[in-house]
Amino acid sequence: MAIKRIGVLTGGGDCPGLNAVIRAVVKKALHDHQWEVLGIHDGYDGLMHRRAKKLSASAVSNILSIGGTILGTSNTANPFDYARRVRGKLIKEDRSKEAMANVRKWKLDALVAIGGDGTLSIANGLRKLGLPVVGIPKTIDNDLEETDMTFGHDTAVQIISDAIDRLHTTAQSHHRVMVVEVMGRYAGWLALRGGLAGGGDIILIPEIPFHMEAVIAEIHRRRREGKRFSIVVVAEGATERGKGYVISKHLEESPDPIRLGGIAHQVADAIETKTGISSRPVVLGHLQRGGTPTAFDRDLATRFGVTAVDLLAEGRFGEMAALRGASVRGVPIDRAVRRLKKVPRNHPLVRAARSLGTSFGDEK
C-alpha cells in the first residue's frame, strides 16, 4: 500500500524519552518518505474526540532532551471499553467503530502507537479492525515481553539510584532504616536495578515474596556488624508471604483500575515496631517518570522511532520495535503483550546481588 499520511500517539503513563521517539518518527517520515504526520493528542482519547495537529520538522525541534510528551497522554481511554459517566453512573462501551471512523476522516494510512502493554494491546485490536499499526514499547517498568529494554527505564533507574545515594547520608547520620518505595507495578525490574545501583541492603520485589522476620533478622545482623543503618528498597508490587498487594486506590474508569502503593509505610512501621529502630518510608512516586531522559534512553527512543517508520515502509504491520541484544528489530505485538515480563528468580542481577550479601527477604 502507498502511505501518504500517518498518525502517532502516546498512551499510558508519561515517560522520559517520549519526545525523542516523536521527533524520530516525524523526522524519519518526512526526510526519507515525505509522509505527512498527524500527532494525536492525549492518546486514544484524542483519537475518540478527533484532537490532533500536523507535525512538521520545526514542531519537533529541540524536544529531544525534554521529558513528558508534547502530544499529551491518557491512561484511561480505551476505544474497546470506553468509560463515561451518565447521570453519575459509570458505563463502559465498545466505541472502536467510532475510532476507526475518525481514522478514515483523517485519511490516516497507518498509526504509530507508543506505549506499554495496555496501549499496544489496544493498537493490536485496531489492527484487527483493519488499521495498519506498528508499536513502540514505552514503560519505566521494563515489563514488556520481546524487548530487552524499554525506553524510560534507564532514566527511572538513574533517578532511583540518585535518591538512594542521598538517603544514605541521612540514614547513616541518624542510624535509621530508610524504606524506599519505587514503581514497577507487578514487576521488580526498577527495584532490582535501582536498588543494586544504589547499594540497597535489602531489596523486596514482587517475584520473591518476603518474610518480615527475614527483613528484621537482616537489619539486626547488620547492626551486630556495626552497621547502624539500613536501606530497604521495596517495589510497589512487593508482597509479604501469605498476603496480597498493598493497594492505594481503585480507578473504575481505568482499564487497569488497581493503583498499588503504601507498602513502604507498612514495612517501615513493622520494622520500627518490632525493633525499636527509627524507620522512615520514602515514596519516590512520579519523580521516577519525569525529567530529562538519559543519553541511553534518548538513543534507544530514537532507534525505536526510526525502526517503527521502517516497519511501516516495509508493510510489516502488527509489529513492534524491540531491542534484542545490540540490534533493534520488529517483533509481533501479539507476542509482546501476551504476558508481563517479570524478573526470573535466578536472573544474573539477582544472583549478583545475593553474592554481595543483599537480602531479598526470603531467607527463613
Side-chain angles (χ1 to χ4, degrees), residues 275-348:
T275 67
I277 302 169
S278 176
S279 303
R280 297 289 186 271
V282 178
V283 180
L284 296 185
H286 287 75
L287 284 172
Q288 298 157 86
R289 291 162 71 145
T292 301
T294 60
F296 178 90
D297 274 338
R298 297 184 205 189
D299 289 346
L300 182 59
T302 299
R303 294 176 70 193
F304 278 169
V306 168
T307 299
V309 174
D310 284 339
L311 292 174
L312 287 179
E314 295 167 12
R316 295 169 60 183
F317 310 129
E319 294 193 20
M320 175 191 87
L323 179 67
R324 306 300 296 269
S327 64
V328 174
R329 65 188 72 171
V331 299
I333 294 177
D334 275 333
R335 293 213 312 258
V337 299
R338 60 186 171 180
R339 62 174 179 264
L340 292 179
K341 181 180 70 178
K342 296 191 173 185
V343 178
R345 294 177 69 102
N346 65 341
H347 190 274

Side-chain angles (χ1 to χ4, degrees), residues 9 17 27 41 56 64 67 85 87 97 128 131 149 160 163 192 196 199 212 216 233 270 282 300:
L9 62 79
K27 289 199 167 188
H41 291 294
S56 62
L64 178 64
R85 291 194 177 273
R87 292 186 291 275
K97 290 183 179 179
K128 293 174 181 177
L131 175 61
M149 188 82 77
I160 294 167
L192 176 60
L196 189 60
M212 200 65 232
I216 299 295
V233 181
V282 178
L300 182 59

Side-chain angles (χ1 to χ4, degrees), residues 53-309:
K53 64 180 178 182
K54 183 178 177 180
L55 295 177
S56 62
S58 62
V60 296
S61 292
N62 300 318
I63 66 171
L64 178 64
S65 62
I66 300 174
T69 164
I70 62 169
L71 294 177
T73 188
S74 170
N75 58 5
T76 59
N78 179 354
F80 294 94
D81 197 25
Y82 196 81
R84 63 189 181 96
R85 291 194 177 273
V86 179
R87 292 186 291 275
K89 183 180 179 181
L90 184 73
I91 63 171
K92 294 187 176 183
E93 307 167 303
D94 182 352
R95 297 175 62 181
S96 56
K97 290 183 179 179
E98 293 178 44
M100 291 298 293
N102 289 336
V103 166
R104 290 189 290 272
K105 288 175 182 176
W106 276 332
K107 297 182 180 179
L108 293 184
D109 298 310
L111 175 70
V112 177
I114 311 166
D117 58 323
T119 299
L120 295 180
S121 293
I122 294 169
N124 204 36
L126 294 175
R127 177 187 66 84
K128 293 174 181 177
L129 293 180
L131 175 61
V133 167
V134 297
I136 296 177
K138 172 245 39 152
T139 169
I140 65 170
D141 304 330
N142 197 38
D143 59 359
L144 268 173
E145 286 276 8
E146 299 299 318
T147 184
D148 294 344
M149 188 82 77
T150 54
F151 74 87
H153 179 66
D154 186 72
T155 303
V157 168
Q158 186 64 58
I159 292 168
I160 294 167
S161 177
D162 289 346
I164 296 172
D165 287 348
R166 286 163 172 77
L167 290 170
H168 262 103
T169 58
T170 186
Q172 193 166 15
S173 298
H174 290 272
H175 317 304
R176 282 177 174 154
V177 176
M178 304 299 291
V179 183
V180 188
E181 181 177 317
V182 305
M183 288 180 167
R185 296 198 301 170
Y186 307 105
W189 297 104
L190 280 176
L192 176 60
R193 293 193 65 222
L196 189 60
D201 306 301
I202 300 169
I203 299 175
L204 307 178
I205 61 176
E207 295 85 350
I208 306 176
F210 65 91
H211 299 277
M212 200 65 232
E213 295 78 8
V215 174
I216 299 295
E218 176 62 15
I219 291 170
H220 282 313
R221 183 193 68 78
R222 287 176 51 78
R223 290 180 77 87
R224 286 195 301 270
E225 293 182 357
K227 300 171 183 175
R228 300 175 64 190
F229 74 96
S230 294
I231 302 290
V232 181
V233 181
V234 55
E236 62 183 357
T239 59
E240 187 174 354
R241 186 170 292 278
K243 299 183 180 181
Y245 296 112
V246 178
I247 299 171
S248 63
K249 61 182 176 181
H250 289 80
L251 294 178
E252 289 184 280
E253 65 272 20
S254 175
D256 181 14
I258 293 176
R259 294 294 182 269
L260 301 174
I263 184 67
H265 288 80
Q266 288 195 8
V267 171
D269 287 347
I271 291 171
E272 187 163 314
T273 298
K274 295 182 180 182
T275 67
I277 302 169
S278 176
S279 303
R280 297 289 186 271
V282 178
V283 180
L284 296 185
H286 287 75
L287 284 172
Q288 298 157 86
R289 291 162 71 145
T292 301
T294 60
F296 178 90
D297 274 338
R298 297 184 205 189
D299 289 346
L300 182 59
T302 299
R303 294 176 70 193
F304 278 169
V306 168
T307 299
V309 174

Side-chain angles (χ1 to χ4, degrees), residues 6-8 19-39 53-61 63 70-71 112 114 136 302 305-306 309:
I6 66 172
V8 58
N19 285 326
V21 176
I22 296 168
R23 171 180 176 270
V25 168
V26 172
K27 289 199 167 188
K28 169 79 171 177
L30 292 174
H31 184 269
D32 283 7
H33 303 287
Q34 295 76 54
W35 296 343
E36 188 175 311
V37 183
L38 198 67
K53 64 180 178 182
K54 183 178 177 180
L55 295 177
S56 62
S58 62
V60 296
S61 292
I63 66 171
I70 62 169
L71 294 177
V112 177
I114 311 166
I136 296 177
T302 299
V306 168
V309 174

